[in-house]
Amino acid sequence: MATALKNLSDYTSDQFIDISEKRFGLVVAEWNREITDTLAKGAYDTLIKHGAKEENIFRNTVPGSFELTLGAQLLAQHDEIDAVICLGVVIKGETKHDDYICHAVASGITNVGLKFNKPVIFGLVTTNTLEQAWDRAGGKHGNKGVEGAVAAIHMLGF
């Protein structure tokens, strides 16, 4: 497991660009809301820490992780949005729903970024258990929301 080898919240900011005038869209799934709220807080706090202005961070919610793609597209189509960070949680259950959702979201987010030529970040926690999800939402493996914000900042400086 990759996050067992690296904490999601560990990063270096040596080469971060000035993001004080950048605008960020957060698309946050409501399914598993306690966890996604924690991911969103991690992303928000990281953006603020590195110079983003509160008024330049826009949080939008979608019902579940499957809807992250359309939510990202609706934000990314606006020229004034510089990067979109998608945050959700898919926990494996008794069916194969997680395979279908994760594949669709990964492909969709990739396509939105390519279509609009801007960073659209995959911040989807995909785990086998609820405990593993919490481990990646500020627990022992860090916070995937922090990782998403860091990825957005890095890509804006690419």
Side-chain angles (χ1 to χ4, degrees), residues 25-33 35-45 47 57-69 72 84-90 105 109 120-125 136 143-150:
L26 301 180
V27 183
V28 184
E30 290 180 329
W31 195 260
N32 294 307
R33 186 166 197 150
I35 299 171
T36 61
D37 281 347
T38 304
L39 298 174
K41 182 172 178 6
Y44 179 88
D45 290 349
L47 293 171
I57 303 171
F58 306 93
R59 178 182 168 152
N60 295 274
T61 58
V62 293
S65 293
F66 188 80
E67 292 80 23
L68 288 170
T69 301
V84 178
I85 303 166
C86 301
L87 302 168
V89 177
V90 177
V105 174
I109 288 173
V120 179
I121 306 302
F122 181 85
L124 187 66
V125 173
R136 288 152 184 80
N143 186 313
K144 186 78 171 170
V146 170
E147 182 190 52
V150 168

Side-chain angles (χ1 to χ4, degrees), residues 39-101:
L39 298 174
K41 182 172 178 6
Y44 179 88
D45 290 349
T46 301
L47 293 171
I48 294 295
K49 175 182 176 180
H50 293 291
K53 296 176 184 169
E54 288 182 26
E55 62 269 18
N56 289 342
I57 303 171
F58 306 93
R59 178 182 168 152
N60 295 274
T61 58
V62 293
S65 293
F66 188 80
E67 292 80 23
L68 288 170
T69 301
L70 180 57
Q73 181 168 294
L74 292 172
L75 285 175
Q77 70 186 355
H78 296 285
D79 290 336
E80 61 271 7
I81 296 293
D82 297 295
V84 178
I85 303 166
C86 301
L87 302 168
V89 177
V90 177
I91 301 170
K92 185 171 181 64
E94 295 176 1
T95 67
K96 290 186 164 198
H97 79 286
D98 60 311
D99 289 338
Y100 302 111
I101 292 172

Side-chain angles (χ1 to χ4, degrees), residues 93-144:
E94 295 176 1
T95 67
K96 290 186 164 198
H97 79 286
D98 60 311
D99 289 338
Y100 302 111
I101 292 172
C102 294
H103 178 74
V105 174
S107 295
I109 288 173
T110 299
N111 290 334
V112 171
L114 294 172
K115 178 178 180 180
F116 293 101
N117 201 31
K118 61 179 69 175
V120 179
I121 306 302
F122 181 85
L124 187 66
V125 173
T126 59
T127 63
N128 292 318
T129 67
L130 182 61
E131 179 183 357
Q132 290 172 341
W134 278 112
D135 287 345
R136 288 152 184 80
K140 68 182 180 181
H141 295 302
N143 186 313
K144 186 78 171 170

